[in-house]
Amino acid sequence: MTDYIDLNFQGVPNTIATAVLKGPDGVALVDPGPTSCLGALNAGLAALGIGLDQVRHVLLTHIHLDHAGASGTLAALNPGVTVWVHERGARHMADPRRLIESATRLYGDMMDTLWGEFLAVAEPQLRSLTGGERIEVAGRRLEVAYTPGHASHHVSYFDAGAGVAYCGDVAGIRIGGSPFVMAPTPPPDIDLALWRASVDTVRAWRPETLFLTHFGPHGGADAHLDALLERLDAHAALARRLRATPLDEAGREQAFAAEVARDLREHLDDASARAYELAVPPDHCYRGLARYWSKQEQGAAS
Ligand SMILES: [Zn+2]
């Protein structure tokens, strides 16, 4: 049983989940979400009988704003909090200016509405990970694995005792009871080969439960991961085909988003489809894949 909190992102349920690990020596949160959801996080913790002062650890799968935005605020509110993050993400948590700049290119004037503020984490409260560690938090032992592909600084955590793998975005998006698994592919780090290898890493844990930020716990890991890779390949192929058309980039983005919208609504009701699109905007998915293919072509040409 994994406790988690629905952050009710932008008033939409089942979009962003924070996992809550409760132990005798305090609480660990996996991906606390953005600062815009701090009220929901607080209320969710209170409903579990937890105060912010009991939170000892924030485990980040990666530093994208929908996962990590509130870390600095939580660390500032409670100096007893330690924030764990892959070494490639650590400097951006200590100084988020470049991260915010890059996110602003995607989200423009929606930044504040969507995410709220992104405070730096004080360096003494940061712990860098490389993957391969075993860490003890909230009375349990977690294995850490480096799982790039979605982001170059992505890690996953495995609680072998409970059989739960906390996968962030690398195991995709799956909302509600549907078997529909979507691959979130925003810029700038998408790498298909690394992503496939990371799926192998997660699979090798033989988890009973995959915990996804978008959204919550799912059983049947093998079938889930197969479905993820199938749709990742299909979306990558679609982006590649669109890049060969005479459309401009805006037109390609639109065509990609229209095809994803059609696919989603073929399998899901409209409200669920919209939750997937809120968890990762399909036009961003095109941009991430287009950037990947452009890097591949440059690599092949040089
Ligand atoms: Zn992400």
Side-chain angles (χ1 to χ4, degrees):
M1 214 339 244
T2 308
D3 284 322
Y4 63 96
I5 295 168
D6 184 344
L7 296 184
N8 209 34
F9 176 58
Q10 301 296 302
V12 180
N14 303 340
T15 311
I16 302 180
T18 295
V20 181
L21 283 58
K22 209 172 160 181
D25 57 346
V27 168
L29 304 178
V30 184
D31 289 347
T35 313
S36 57
C37 295
L38 207 54
L41 182 67
N42 255 321
L45 287 172
L48 294 167
I50 298 167
L52 267 189
D53 55 330
Q54 288 167 268
V55 175
R56 288 281 165 275
H57 301 278
V58 169
L59 305 175
L60 297 179
T61 60
H62 63 304
I63 65 173
H64 289 165
L65 274 61
D66 50 333
H67 297 254
S71 306
T73 306
L74 291 171
L77 286 170
N78 178 355
V81 164
T82 298
V83 178
W84 301 78
V85 62
H86 187 262
E87 58 182 358
R88 289 194 182 196
R91 63 197 169 98
H92 298 293
M93 296 309 293
D95 178 2
R97 280 175 297 184
R98 271 189 53 202
L99 176 66
I100 291 167
E101 241 175 66
S102 130
T104 304
R105 281 199 288 279
L106 275 181
Y107 295 103
D109 55 10
M110 288 301 288
M111 280 289 285
D112 207 46
T113 311
L114 286 170
W115 315 121
E117 64 181 352
F118 193 114
L119 296 186
V121 177
E123 302 235 18
Q125 288 176 267
L126 268 177
R127 294 283 182 287
S128 284
L129 297 163
T130 57
E133 294 91 347
R134 283 168 193 270
I135 62 174
E136 294 212 22
V137 300
R140 60 199 95 187
R141 186 177 270 199
L142 301 177
E143 292 172 37
V144 183
Y146 180 45
T147 49
H150 167 80
S152 63
H153 56 273
H154 195 295
V155 294
S156 299
Y157 303 91
F158 185 51
D159 179 348
V164 182
Y166 298 93
C167 298
D169 281 347
V170 81
I173 299 174
R174 183 178 175 188
I175 295 172
S178 162
F180 192 97
V181 186
M182 182 165 152
T185 59
D189 290 342
I190 299 307
D191 187 308
L192 299 186
L194 292 177
W195 200 327
R196 286 189 200 105
S198 293
V199 166
D200 288 342
T201 301
V202 170
R203 228 189 262 275
W205 277 332
R206 305 180 68 82
E208 274 170 46
T209 304
L210 299 172
F211 189 91
L212 315 179
T213 303
H214 322 288
F215 178 94
H218 292 277
D222 273 325
H224 172 105
L225 295 170
D226 290 344
L228 166 72
L229 291 179
E230 204 177 300
R231 201 158 261 104
L232 176 61
D233 284 344
H235 284 184
L238 172 62
R240 194 178 204 180
R241 279 201 303 280
L242 285 167
R243 275 170 53 76
T245 65
L247 293 167
D248 64 8
E249 279 301 282
R252 292 169 182 164
E253 252 175 59
Q254 265 176 26
F256 184 92
E259 174 54 25
V260 171
R262 191 203 56 71
D263 190 23
L264 282 165
R265 283 161 185 81
E266 193 181 308
H267 296 87
L268 300 159
D269 62 67
D270 190 56
S272 309
R274 269 195 259 184
Y276 280 73
E277 289 165 335
L278 182 61
V280 64
D283 52 335
H284 296 180
C285 288
Y286 171 77
R287 278 191 229 179
L289 289 166
R291 188 180 160 106
Y292 167 75
W293 287 124
S294 144
K295 278 197 249 179
Q296 292 293 108
E297 284 157 19
Q298 281 163 21
S302 62

